[in-house]
Amino acid sequence: MRVVLVLGGGGAKSLAHAGAWKALREANIGPSHIIGTSMGAVIGAALAAGSSPERILEIALSLGKKDFAALDAWSLAKGVFAGNILKPEPLKRTIARLVPVTRFADMKIPLTITTTDMESGELVLFGALGQDGPLIDALYASCALPLYLPPQVIDGRRVGEGGLRAVVALEVARRVPPPPPVDLVVAVHVGPGFDEPPVDKKAAIPPLVRAHGEAIRIMMAAQTERAVAEWPEDAPRLVFVRAVAEREATFAVGQGQRYFEAGYREAKKALAHTLGRG
């Protein structure tokens, strides 16, 4: 059975992807292609390079918030005139720790990651279904959400957050060519959705940043809802795993173990429901 695994963006919640991978392996499902967005691309790259889900979790649990989201004091001093509020270098170092290779050619499983051209709005793919490029830069670009992180220039193009065009890249999964034909697409969603309950206690976020986050959440939730609804009847069978549904958890790095376990649990449930597997 040929399986394509689609890993959506969601910041710290993306550790659920490693848990989902464990569930897939226990069900004797070995993905033959991985498509990732944002931190889903990073976790997907680590898995495609041969890292075990347990190893990914171990590294992630050793990291702190500043390893993902280090405030740029100079940018903060600029106020509303700042281009971004986080430094890119700590995230790039974290990506390099999580992903044990430095080239797409070194992947053991074909990997495709999504980014967005910040000038044209075009979806730009790197890896197996797209262009080659520096792996760490491309993975960083997929995570570079405007306001938070500056885009990455690759081959003269300013590319950023893949989730602006493909939070859960189902349309990209349909581009995986035969032979053999794809039998199954497993999509793991940990990003914004209209099913997320309100938070009991809102985080201390500046009003402008909160307004940006709320707008992005609605846009991405609608995008994902539409992608699932428009999945064609003649397309490969789709297993949709809603692993985590939480607001304001993008930088909740202290919850990694819980997200890992949620991904494992929800993937097992989705497989059992869709395929009759426990």
Side-chain angles (χ1 to χ4, degrees), residues 195-257:
D195 58 343
E196 296 171 322
V199 292
D200 294 329
K201 183 179 180 182
K202 292 188 175 183
I205 300 173
L208 280 176
V209 177
R210 181 177 296 283
H212 171 269
E214 289 173 343
I216 290 291
R217 182 182 71 84
I218 293 169
M219 181 272 288
M220 290 185 174
Q223 178 201 110
T224 302
E225 188 176 79
R226 184 169 58 252
V228 175
E230 294 177 353
W231 186 253
E233 291 185 4
D234 61 350
R237 195 169 188 182
L238 175 64
V239 177
F240 189 77
V241 183
R242 183 52 160 148
V244 181
E246 293 182 13
R247 298 188 193 186
E248 299 188 6
T250 299
F251 302 114
V253 294
Q255 301 297 314
Q257 182 72 46

Side-chain angles (χ1 to χ4, degrees), residues 103-136:
R103 303 185 307 159
F104 283 101
D106 295 329
M107 294 295 170
K108 296 181 179 180
I109 300 172
L111 172 73
T112 300
I113 66 173
T114 69
T115 68
T116 303
D117 186 311
M118 301 307 293
E119 301 296 338
S120 68
E122 176 188 357
L123 178 67
V124 180
L125 304 180
F126 287 90
L129 297 178
Q131 65 190 70
D132 197 9
L135 178 62
I136 301 304

Side-chain angles (χ1 to χ4, degrees), residues 154-196:
I154 301 177
D155 291 338
R157 303 177 82 174
R158 294 172 59 248
V159 288
E161 169 68 49
L164 295 174
R165 286 295 308 272
V167 183
V168 183
L170 291 178
E171 186 273 332
V172 178
R174 293 172 57 201
R175 302 186 194 181
V176 176
V182 174
D183 301 294
L184 188 71
V185 173
V186 179
V188 187
H189 178 31
V190 296
F194 296 122
D195 58 343
E196 296 171 322

Side-chain angles (χ1 to χ4, degrees), residues 67-114:
D67 294 307
F68 294 90
L71 290 173
D72 187 328
W74 176 241
S75 290
L76 291 177
K78 296 180 181 178
V80 296
F81 297 100
N84 54 278
I85 60 176
L86 301 178
K87 299 176 182 178
E89 292 81 9
L91 178 57
K92 288 186 178 183
R93 288 194 294 268
T94 293
I95 292 170
R97 285 187 62 184
L98 286 165
V99 181
V101 301
T102 58
R103 303 185 307 159
F104 283 101
D106 295 329
M107 294 295 170
K108 296 181 179 180
I109 300 172
L111 172 73
T112 300
I113 66 173
T114 69

